[in-house]
Amino acid sequence: MTLAYVRTEDAPKRPPPATTAGTWARLRDQFAPTPLSGLATIVIAALLAWTAWTIIHWALISAVWSAPDREACNAVGAGACWPFVKAKALQWVYGFYPIEERWRANLVFLLGGISLLGLLVPQIPLKGLNALFFFLIYPVLTFYLLRGDHFGLVRVDTDQWGGLLVTLIVALTGIVASMPIGILLALGRRSKMPVVRSLSTAFIEIVRGVPLVTVLFMASVMFPLFMPPGVNPDKLLKALIGVALFSAAYMAETVRGGLQAIPKGQYEASMAVGLSYWRMMLLIIMPQALKVVIPGIVNSFISLFKDTSLVSIIGIFDLFNMVQSGFNDAKWASAQTGNTGYFVLGLVYWAFCFAMSRYSQFIERRLNTGHKR
Amino acid sequence: MTAQSPGELRQPPSREAGPFAWFYSPRVRGWLTQLAVFLLLAWGLYAIIFNTQANLKKLNQNFGFDFLTQAAGFDLSTSLIAYSSNATNARALVVGLLNTILIAVLGIIFATVIGFIVGIMRLSRNKVVAGAATLYVEVVRNIPLLLQIFIWYALVLKPLPGVKGAINLFDMIFISNRGVTMPHPLFEEGAWLAPVFLFGALVATWFFRRWARKKQEQTGKSTPVWLTSIPIILLSPVLGLALAGWPLTFDYPSLAGFNFKGGMTIVPEMLALLLALSIYTATYIAETVRAGILAVSHGQSEAAAALGLSRGKALRLVVIPQAMRVIIPPLASQYLNLTKNSSLAIAVGYPDFMYLGGTVNNQTGKAIEVVFILMVVYLGLSLLTAAFMNWFNSRMKLVER
């Protein structure tokens, strides 16, 4: 049988390829392999150059560098309003935290930074102790340090907390709470017990099916109704609970991915040596499963960090809300104030998220060495 | 061989015998755990219901959905259906739902187009093209969406001129800080012929495609299906309207006082939201597309090149169809994310479903009912998107034996 759609005669000959050796050929291959591609190179390069020039011109050349108030920033053709940033920077970091008590926030930043460094750099020993400190002791310590009212510290209520401090607290709470709850939910979803399994699945799917704004909205308007009459939970606490539940549901799915990646033999072998369920999970399965999903965990931390900006919608003065509220300050409101504020915000969020994604790639490469083809 | 004397028989550990052995049976333990979880949950639910009742009593409120039929009492900047402040709360919520669906559908379309282009660009041989795509992804993906919505709002839409100095395109389209105002089509008697013709053209295209494919399989000759059918599909409603005696007029916008009269307006909030949503989600789709294309084995594109296909054709006919199988599941979850992220409309005040939920709650104080409706509808939207993508996935799946 002959197939009609199979060629019977040769296709027309194509011209031989141009030389592929030499600097010129290599350059052409990289920047203009075809005329259309060359055109794209020119258009995109021009566009990039224009964007870069616009940003540099706005942020550096025509920028206002020092001014007592908005006067200079309001001038026609003025670029970024840096004096606004200078005047507000401390408020963006600490919010309305009393100035003479800011050393407490600094101490929290310092302890967190050191502990995190110890956790993240693979060469630093004592990972177990460090993790214990970071996930158990540090959150409690942070709370008592910042709120005070004990150990001779002045009480500073949560409505005075703000700025980057609150952004980091929300992110940290999400991270610290989502790990244990997420692991339990993931185990629950894979459990053989129907009640546990269906409850875990329902929780995960419901929370993942609705937007974070809805979860935060629920936490802020519905949660007070669930409490015994007269108990009105703290505004920040409500947001933290919402964020923790939300990130736990996503973490559960990430961890479940890791659990599924572990071969069945590992489970069977640990049962054969007589380990109980929890020992099997703690000693055999989890160490392997969590290692597999470290990139996924870091990725969910990145989205969690970006999502912390949403707490501003329910009126928490996190970094985002703090910067935005500065735009209306009569002393600084000008045509460029908003743009400058957004520029700084973008830089800060970008720096945090980009650092995390780079770290995730680094750890992925480190963990992958065994399987490289 | 000497018989080994049996070692002294050890007592079985108490876990496996004795009066409490049942306590160590995995089955019993399983049931006990479940019972404990169930009781804990029941107790929690009871406490919540008890507290809520007490709280509602204190606030002088009762649980019920009768607020849906009451007048909303607030105005909205934009609506797809007739709406005034006299309309019911239920209608206000429907307006919000329609706006959410509109944003989600448009956002999905734009994000997919941008995402596919950028994803393919990232794999280009051309260093500048690939570099620009990488830069775009790395910058946009690492900035919170909420911030991007505000940036688009502040950077692009605020500097636009006011109504008086609106950018005037042919006296038909006006671009100002109130949004883009354009003519609004008004259909009259007989306009139904247009959708009928469109449907006819679609059916005809389907048959034409089948015929062309059969012909290609039998004779090897290909027919330019898309080149012929796209103009037909586009022209058919126009033809339908022409046959019906042109039952279509446009309501042109005109400047009246401090605002435009007539026409329809795309509000700037919607533009900012749409731009930010599509550009942000496109970075994730681009990464998905790139991963999908990289997952197709190298041999496939080499084989396509050996058959004499150009790089573009190899990509379109050989690589992408295979990559689609890897792309679709994560693509589906990106679509879900986009739909959920559209709730950030609340930040710029575009009346989407979340925004109206919040407004209705502020007006009526029915927090539980409103949150319930919000959650049910968003879950429903998620399930609907997931179901559609599952169907699409099963269509694109490799047909195996």
Side-chain angles (χ1 to χ4, degrees):
Chain A
M1 190 184 132
T2 56
L3 291 170
Y5 54 85
V6 174
R7 271 188 203 286
T8 46
E9 71 277 4
D10 279 356
K13 295 262 191 307
R14 290 220 208 135
T19 51
T20 52
T23 317
W24 177 242
R26 209 177 55 239
L27 278 181
R28 195 180 51 201
D29 190 52
Q30 282 179 359
F31 296 106
T34 63
L36 196 68
S37 184
L39 188 70
T41 304
I42 294 170
V43 171
I44 289 176
L47 211 67
L48 284 179
W50 177 79
T51 314
W53 171 246
T54 311
I55 293 177
I56 290 172
H57 190 265
W58 176 82
L60 300 175
I61 299 174
S62 66
V64 177
W65 290 98
S66 67
D69 54 18
R70 68 194 202 137
E71 213 61 56
C73 300
N74 233 352
V76 177
C81 186
W82 295 120
F84 166 66
V85 179
K86 224 181 292 168
K88 297 277 177 187
L90 284 176
Q91 216 182 62
W92 291 352
V93 175
Y94 302 103
F96 306 112
Y97 211 83
I99 293 172
E100 61 276 12
E101 301 294 330
R102 280 182 184 166
W103 62 271
R104 279 147 66 174
N106 286 336
L107 192 59
V108 165
F109 286 145
L110 188 73
L111 282 176
I114 292 174
S115 176
L116 207 58
L117 202 72
L119 275 179
L120 295 184
V121 179
Q123 285 83 7
I124 295 179
L126 299 175
K127 284 273 181 288
L129 269 180
N130 216 333
L132 191 74
F133 174 76
F134 189 77
F135 284 100
L136 281 179
I137 304 170
Y138 181 62
V140 181
L141 197 68
T142 301
F143 175 74
Y144 279 111
L145 253 178
L146 288 180
R147 186 157 159 280
D149 211 18
H150 291 273
F151 318 113
L153 294 171
V154 188
R155 182 173 170 136
V156 182
D157 274 317
T158 55
D159 51 0
Q160 284 175 285
W161 306 9
L164 187 64
L165 181 66
V166 161
T167 293
L168 290 178
I169 287 174
V170 175
L172 189 80
T173 313
I175 291 170
V176 169
S178 71
M179 281 304 280
I181 307 178
I183 290 175
L184 283 180
L185 281 172
L187 290 177
R189 194 167 181 176
R190 282 171 61 83
S191 157
K192 288 194 186 69
M193 298 181 267
V195 176
V196 175
R197 189 179 55 226
S198 49
L199 281 177
S200 309
T201 311
F203 176 83
I204 292 172
E205 290 306 326
I206 288 176
V207 173
R208 276 162 45 92
V210 299
L212 176 56
V213 186
T214 313
V215 175
L216 287 174
F217 181 71
M218 183 184 103
S220 83
V221 301
M222 226 157 99
F223 193 56
L225 290 175
F226 291 166
M227 292 285 103
V231 178
N232 195 14
D234 186 85
K235 203 165 162 190
L236 183 63
L237 180 69
K238 289 189 284 188
L240 289 180
I241 290 174
V243 168
L245 292 183
F246 188 78
S247 49
Y250 280 82
M251 187 56 71
E253 285 301 273
T254 312
V255 173
R256 191 165 71 105
L259 288 175
Q260 279 173 347
I262 304 303
K264 218 173 168 194
Q266 296 289 327
Y267 291 88
E268 288 164 356
S270 17
M271 282 189 269
V273 293
L275 293 181
S276 71
Y277 177 82
W278 291 109
R279 287 202 168 178
M280 166 174 84
M281 284 302 164
L282 198 68
L283 299 173
I284 310 291
I285 306 299
M286 273 304 158
Q288 301 184 65
L290 291 183
K291 213 176 221 170
V292 173
V293 291
I294 283 181
I297 292 176
V298 179
N299 277 339
S300 42
F301 288 168
I302 295 177
S303 26
L304 176 65
F305 189 78
K306 286 186 288 179
D307 283 345
T308 57
S309 56
L310 300 197
V311 296
S312 63
I313 290 177
I314 57 166
I316 308 283
F317 277 92
D318 72 325
L319 179 64
F320 191 84
N321 209 353
M322 208 68 222
V323 172
Q324 258 197 331
S325 64
F327 299 165
N328 300 324
D329 184 343
K331 195 179 170 195
W332 289 106
S334 76
Q336 292 301 333
T337 308
N339 294 348
T340 314
Y342 287 138
F343 186 73
V344 173
L345 266 181
L347 275 184
V348 171
Y349 279 110
W350 182 84
F352 273 97
C353 296
F354 188 70
M356 280 194 268
S357 76
R358 278 295 122 128
Y359 179 75
S360 148
Q361 283 167 13
F362 156 74
I363 214 79
E364 205 168 348
R365 269 200 305 278
R366 214 183 125 82
L367 293 173
N368 256 345
T369 43
H371 308 284
K372 212 172 237 166
R373 274 173 295 175
Chain B
M1 203 173 154
T2 53
Q4 273 187 346
S5 60
E8 210 168 310
L9 208 62
R10 278 198 298 163
Q11 284 296 310
S14 59
R15 287 181 169 208
E16 281 151 34
F20 294 110
W22 58 267
F23 186 66
Y24 292 100
S25 136
R27 265 177 67 95
V28 177
R29 284 216 157 173
W31 283 111
L32 283 178
T33 313
Q34 299 200 61
L35 191 70
V37 170
F38 185 76
L39 287 177
L40 209 67
L41 187 81
W43 173 74
L45 271 179
Y46 171 75
I48 283 176
I49 291 171
F50 182 80
N51 286 337
T52 310
Q53 271 175 345
N55 280 320
L56 286 179
K57 206 172 200 175
K58 224 172 71 180
L59 293 169
N60 236 338
Q61 278 204 350
N62 51 345
F63 183 83
F65 287 92
D66 43 353
F67 70 99
L68 284 176
T69 52
Q70 291 161 8
F74 52 85
D75 279 310
L76 293 177
S77 61
T78 180
S79 164
L80 291 175
I81 53 175
Y83 175 83
S84 71
S85 59
N86 295 325
T88 60
N89 280 317
R91 196 170 177 88
L93 288 175
V94 171
V95 169
L97 181 58
L98 288 177
N99 281 338
T100 289
I101 292 174
L102 178 72
I103 277 282
V105 170
L106 289 178
I108 283 173
I109 293 170
F110 289 138
T112 310
V113 172
I114 304 173
F116 266 80
I117 292 173
V118 173
I120 293 169
M121 271 170 71
R122 275 199 81 170
L123 295 168
S124 166
R125 266 189 304 175
N126 188 326
K127 284 277 156 65
V128 175
V129 172
T134 309
L135 188 71
Y136 160 71
V137 170
E138 289 293 352
V139 169
V140 173
R141 202 168 53 147
N142 286 321
I143 294 177
L145 178 59
L146 185 66
L147 179 58
Q148 293 191 34
I149 294 174
F150 278 108
I151 289 177
W152 282 114
Y153 198 57
L155 213 67
V156 178
L157 302 159
K158 266 196 198 151
L160 285 173
V163 170
K164 290 277 178 199
I167 301 167
N168 186 339
L169 298 175
F170 315 112
D171 265 341
M172 286 204 288
I173 299 172
F174 297 92
I175 303 172
S176 71
N177 57 11
R178 296 275 173 91
V180 180
T181 309
M182 54 183 139
H184 179 54
L186 295 171
F187 296 102
E188 289 154 22
E189 194 76 20
W192 53 268
L193 219 57
V196 168
F197 265 63
L198 182 67
F199 183 72
L202 285 174
V203 171
T205 304
W206 188 74
F207 277 111
F208 180 51
R209 227 183 109 199
R210 258 182 52 153
W211 172 82
R213 179 168 250 166
K214 219 167 157 187
K215 192 184 124 196
Q216 185 170 13
E217 276 170 13
Q218 280 167 359
T219 65
K221 297 230 164 45
S222 67
T223 321
V225 177
W226 293 114
L227 219 61
T228 42
S229 51
I230 286 178
I232 292 176
I233 291 174
L234 290 180
L235 283 177
S236 62
V238 181
L239 191 72
L241 283 179
L243 276 181
W246 218 250
L248 172 76
T249 50
F250 283 97
D251 175 20
Y252 291 99
S254 60
L255 199 60
F258 293 107
N259 209 342
F260 291 105
K261 224 183 109 209
M264 56 181 185
T265 302
I266 300 174
V267 290
E269 289 82 18
M270 178 180 167
L271 282 177
L273 187 65
L274 192 58
L275 272 171
L277 268 180
S278 354
I279 287 173
Y280 178 78
T281 314
T283 60
Y284 286 91
I285 294 180
E287 285 301 272
T288 304
V289 169
R290 188 173 77 112
I293 291 177
L294 286 177
V296 176
S297 122
H298 219 42
Q300 295 291 324
S301 38
E302 280 165 11
L307 283 175
L309 294 180
S310 70
R311 275 178 75 96
K313 267 197 170 168
L315 196 67
R316 194 158 52 85
L317 298 173
V318 177
V319 177
I320 298 261
Q322 298 185 64
M324 279 316 270
R325 289 197 289 274
V326 186
I327 293 173
I328 288 173
L331 196 62
S333 73
Q334 287 313 324
Y335 288 174
L336 287 178
N337 280 345
L338 191 146
T339 312
K340 284 184 282 171
N341 282 336
S342 71
S343 63
L344 290 183
I346 196 169
V348 283
Y350 173 70
D352 82 324
F353 193 60
M354 184 67 218
Y355 176 90
L356 281 166
T359 313
V360 169
N361 172 52
N362 282 343
Q363 299 276 325
T364 60
K366 297 276 187 183
I368 298 174
E369 294 86 338
V370 168
V371 170
F372 178 76
I373 295 173
L374 281 173
M375 293 192 105
V376 167
V377 169
Y378 273 112
L379 272 179
L381 279 180
S382 295
L383 287 179
L384 218 69
T385 317
F388 173 76
M389 290 309 283
N390 277 341
W391 168 81
F392 189 56
N393 193 25
S394 64
R395 259 189 63 107
M396 298 293 287
K397 220 164 51 186
L398 188 65
V399 182
E400 280 176 285
R401 277 166 295 164

